[in-house]
Amino acid sequence: MTSSLRFRAGLVSIVLLAAFLGIWHLATRSTAPVATMSPEYAKLMGLTATQGKSAMPGPLDVGAKLWEHLKRPFYDNGPNDKGLGIQLAYSIARVGTGYLLAVLVAIPLGFLIGMSPLLSKALDPFIQVLKPISPLAWMPLALYTIKDSSVSAIFVIFICSIWPMLLNTVFGVASVRKEWINVARTLEVGTIRRAFTVILPAAAPTILTGMRISIGIAWLVIVAAEMLVGGTGIGYFVWNEWNNLSITNVIIAILLIGIVGMLLDQILARFTRMVTFPE
Amino acid sequence: MSDKFISIEGIAKRYPGAAGATTTVFENLWLSMARGEFCCVIGHSGCGKTTVLNILAGLDAPTEGAVIVDGQAISGTSLDRAVIFQSHALLPWRTVLGNVAYAVSSKWRSWDRAKVKAHAQTFIDLVGLTGSEHKRPSELSGGMKQRVGIARALSITPKMMLMDEPFSALDALTRGTLQDEVRRICLETGQTAFMITHDVDEAIYLADKIFLMTNGPGAVLAEVVENPLPRDRGRTDLHRHPLYYALRNHIIDFLVTRSKTFAAETPDHDPRNVPVVRIGKPGLSIASSGEEQRQTWTPGTNPGLTA
């Protein structure tokens, strides 16, 4: 029954995809009659003017272009012409660095706040004010103080991914079941050992959920950050191709951003499953 | 006194209430237990039984008074006093063996893994869970989980066991089996045990002494009932004992009526010298807890509380 449900769901997905591609194809094909004009003028005007072709690329154009990119993902023809693989690698590296730094800060700090009611109350106003700030609002300040656009982008990733992790760690640590703490207390387990053998495993599912939310936000923010700082990365690629008026490349980039985001989420989901325990 | 292994001396627990008032759960509570004794506390919810147990365990501190165990005032928890929790409180991410081994390695920190494992295994065998070592708590039934809790408590070879309604969440059949095992283990290892229960029959079967507490707030220890049944009592013929119903009726009478009215009817109740009730002794004996004598019964004597 389960496999049959899966099979039917897959079938519906394929039908929906085919319908979407079909409508897209029909909506963007050339319809108007060929205008009579001198061939040189026609060449200058392009197919949009001469054959009534939509400026929006069709699925076949995008597919062909995507195939071209996939064949050579890592070419490097100078600053404004790099393979999509290289651009994505830059973005993933920035997200990875900023995210890992955030993990290193948020989880120990969250542990401290979660275990200490005093720190929790004392730091709460700061967290409440800092949390809703758009990460991009930090960009000018980062650029001014760090004076390096690439590091600034990493800082923006750091600042945006720290909050969900911090808050989830605090919540997870603070809401460990009292009876588990009492077990450790009756066994005279020291604070450090208690933190690693009781609180960490008990809070791990909540912490991992925070990490999963964070990686999603980081991947959302990196595109915008790279549009601002420029130079390299998938966000810069999108903006550069917009300036080139290559809608085909923009669509390909959107598709790839979605796929990479999904993969990052799936990796964290797998980690979450590893630490989740049934009760 | 040598037989006062555990002595609770004038403890009180108060909580700050609304508008500066304080709620006193109980105050001036005195009780003592001898080494190897099995004691049950019976009282209605809210009389502070669990608080007394938590104070004994060191998980909670009394507002006033002190608890002396083996000649020393306690401060905080100790590996000498093991707790069996009502909700079993197993760590769900560890296996059965992992849960017991966690306690073992907490007590003997220098032991290597093989030694910890072997020690934990003996206690898993003791509670009859051989073969389930590598299961997680979620794969176990309620009774098996509580067995793991018992194995964990015993594995640290404590001087006393504290049990907070350990069997209340179990079905009657499992409860009976586990009561048998706890009784057997406590007799074999000479444990001093302190157990909270709502089940009068459980108290009669297990306890040497039964503490009756009045209703809270302002609960007091009303009576210490000595169990007249022989130490080698069996579950099957327990109710045939001539003093069984007298004992049972005495406790139930207390729970039904006297736990409410005790404070009003007994204004001269001295919490330091709680009356010891010995069922079946000719003429209800109310002796102070200082002069202890075991009552022996002879078959054929008139059962009943001769008061």
Side-chain angles (χ1 to χ4, degrees):
Chain A
M1 188 64 209
T2 325
S3 73
S4 131
L5 178 69
R6 239 190 192 173
F7 176 76
R8 283 180 292 157
L11 211 64
V12 173
S13 296
I14 290 169
V15 168
L16 285 175
L17 179 66
F20 169 71
L21 290 176
I23 292 168
W24 181 11
H25 179 73
L26 290 178
T28 53
R29 75 197 155 134
S30 316
T31 45
V34 179
T36 48
M37 55 180 82
S38 77
E40 286 191 359
Y41 184 63
K43 198 180 173 194
L44 193 68
M45 292 298 285
L47 293 177
T48 315
T50 54
Q51 297 185 5
K53 185 177 172 16
S54 165
M56 193 73 181
L60 294 175
D61 307 318
V62 172
K65 192 78 184 173
L66 180 63
W67 180 240
E68 228 174 87
H69 279 299
L70 288 181
K71 274 193 295 186
R72 306 172 56 219
F74 297 112
Y75 72 90
D76 188 353
N77 294 344
N80 278 337
D81 191 9
K82 294 186 204 301
L84 269 175
I86 292 185
Q87 304 285 31
L88 279 174
Y90 271 111
S91 297
I92 292 172
R94 283 189 190 120
V95 166
T97 316
Y99 181 77
L100 281 181
L101 286 173
V103 169
L104 291 180
V105 173
I107 292 179
L109 189 64
F111 247 80
L112 273 181
I113 299 175
M115 288 174 85
S116 153
L118 172 76
L119 269 182
S120 171
K121 279 211 178 347
L123 291 181
D124 189 59
F126 297 102
I127 294 174
Q128 294 303 333
V129 169
L130 290 173
K131 187 174 58 129
I133 297 172
S134 161
L136 293 174
W138 292 99
M139 188 62 99
L141 201 60
L143 287 169
Y144 178 73
T145 44
I146 301 172
K147 296 185 174 65
D148 181 307
S149 64
S150 191
V151 178
S152 298
I154 291 172
F155 172 77
V156 167
I157 294 303
F158 167 81
I159 206 81
C160 78
S161 43
I162 199 164
W163 306 116
M165 276 195 264
L166 184 68
L167 292 175
N168 266 46
T169 307
V170 171
F171 177 74
V173 168
S175 54
V176 173
R177 290 251 284 276
K178 190 103 199 323
E179 55 188 49
W180 296 336
I181 304 281
N182 279 348
V183 166
R185 284 178 63 199
T186 55
L187 294 173
E188 292 190 77
V189 173
T191 314
I192 303 285
R193 185 158 180 257
R194 191 196 306 173
F196 280 99
T197 57
V198 177
I199 297 171
L200 184 62
T206 320
I207 296 175
L208 261 293
T209 306
M211 289 174 69
R212 193 171 164 192
I213 298 170
S214 280
I215 198 80
I217 293 178
W219 189 245
L220 290 180
V221 168
I222 190 66
V223 174
E226 282 171 346
M227 283 180 179
L228 280 176
V229 297
T232 48
I234 193 72
Y236 169 71
F237 178 83
V238 171
W239 204 248
N240 199 29
E241 294 306 317
W242 164 238
N243 285 337
N244 293 342
L245 273 182
S246 170
I247 304 296
T248 315
N249 275 335
V250 171
I251 292 173
I252 287 171
I254 288 173
L255 182 67
L256 286 175
I257 291 169
I259 289 173
V260 172
M262 181 188 74
L263 289 178
L264 291 175
D265 187 60
Q266 289 303 309
I267 292 170
L268 266 294
R270 176 154 295 188
F271 283 137
T272 311
R273 274 200 295 280
M274 274 166 56
V275 299
T276 304
F277 47 84
E279 282 200 43
Chain B
M1 272 191 280
S2 61
D3 68 332
K4 269 194 182 178
F5 177 54
I6 288 145
S7 177
I8 291 178
E9 308 202 336
I11 59 169
K13 188 74 192 177
R14 298 178 220 281
Y15 293 100
T22 53
T23 311
T24 303
V25 186
F26 54 81
E27 61 185 344
N28 206 13
L29 182 78
W30 298 71
L31 63 84
S32 63
M33 291 164 63
R35 200 184 290 271
E37 224 170 14
F38 200 119
C39 298
C40 280
V41 185
I42 292 190
H44 288 286
S45 302
C47 74
K49 303 184 299 284
T50 301
T51 313
V52 173
L53 185 130
N54 282 344
I55 289 170
L56 267 175
L59 292 169
D60 206 342
T63 319
E64 286 162 19
V67 176
I68 292 165
V69 175
D70 215 3
Q72 288 221 319
I74 62 164
S75 59
T77 58
S78 161
L79 283 158
D80 290 337
R81 283 169 272 131
V83 183
I84 297 176
F85 296 88
Q86 183 178 12
S87 53
H88 59 77
L90 300 179
L91 306 178
W93 54 90
R94 284 175 176 264
T95 60
V96 168
L97 185 66
N99 267 287
V100 181
Y102 183 65
V104 175
S105 60
S106 301
K107 170 133 187 180
W108 294 283
R109 288 174 200 192
S110 56
W111 283 13
D112 58 44
R113 291 179 75 166
K115 201 171 176 186
V116 167
K117 204 180 150 191
H119 186 87
Q121 185 68 51
T122 51
F123 285 91
I124 292 171
D125 297 343
L126 184 72
V127 297
L129 281 179
T130 317
S132 304
E133 297 86 354
H134 300 294
K135 288 189 179 154
R136 295 194 183 264
S138 56
E139 302 167 70
L140 303 177
S141 67
M144 287 163 90
K145 282 181 198 164
Q146 200 50 280
R147 279 168 195 263
V148 182
I150 295 167
R152 177 172 64 186
L154 287 170
S155 69
I156 56 172
T157 58
K159 289 182 187 163
M160 80 172 299
M161 303 242 283
L162 304 166
M163 295 173 259
D164 187 358
E165 299 184 42
F167 312 129
S168 61
L170 306 177
D171 63 275
L173 207 62
T174 316
R175 194 185 307 158
T177 327
L178 279 185
Q179 284 167 358
D180 290 343
E181 296 203 8
V182 163
R183 183 166 166 77
R184 174 176 62 82
I185 290 165
C186 283
L187 286 178
E188 274 171 15
T189 56
Q191 283 294 333
T192 311
F194 182 86
M195 176 161 155
I196 293 174
T197 178
H198 275 118
D199 183 343
V200 174
D201 291 309
E202 181 171 272
I204 294 175
Y205 178 52
L206 293 174
D208 301 317
K209 262 190 202 169
I210 300 161
F211 298 121
L212 300 179
M213 284 183 80
T214 61
N215 292 0
V220 296
L221 176 60
E223 279 176 4
V224 179
V225 179
E226 283 200 354
N227 194 337
L229 305 184
R231 266 218 133 173
D232 58 343
R233 61 192 86 130
R235 169 177 299 285
T236 46
D237 54 356
L238 193 68
H239 60 285
R240 291 188 215 283
H241 191 279
L243 294 177
Y244 174 80
Y245 282 105
L247 174 65
R248 194 166 192 279
N249 291 345
H250 181 77
I251 297 172
I252 291 188
D253 280 342
F254 178 83
L255 285 178
V256 173
T257 51
R258 292 177 52 221
S259 60
K260 286 190 252 343
T261 57
F262 184 84
E265 286 176 4
T266 325
D268 57 345
H269 180 68
D270 178 6
R272 284 198 73 159
N273 287 303
V274 177
V276 176
V277 175
R278 296 186 178 113
I279 308 280
K281 193 169 183 177
L284 171 61
S285 135
I286 294 187
S288 79
S289 53
E291 32 163 310
E292 296 211 16
Q293 283 179 320
R294 295 247 166 206
Q295 165 68 26
T296 50
W297 68 282
T298 42
T301 49
N302 240 0
L305 185 62
T306 44

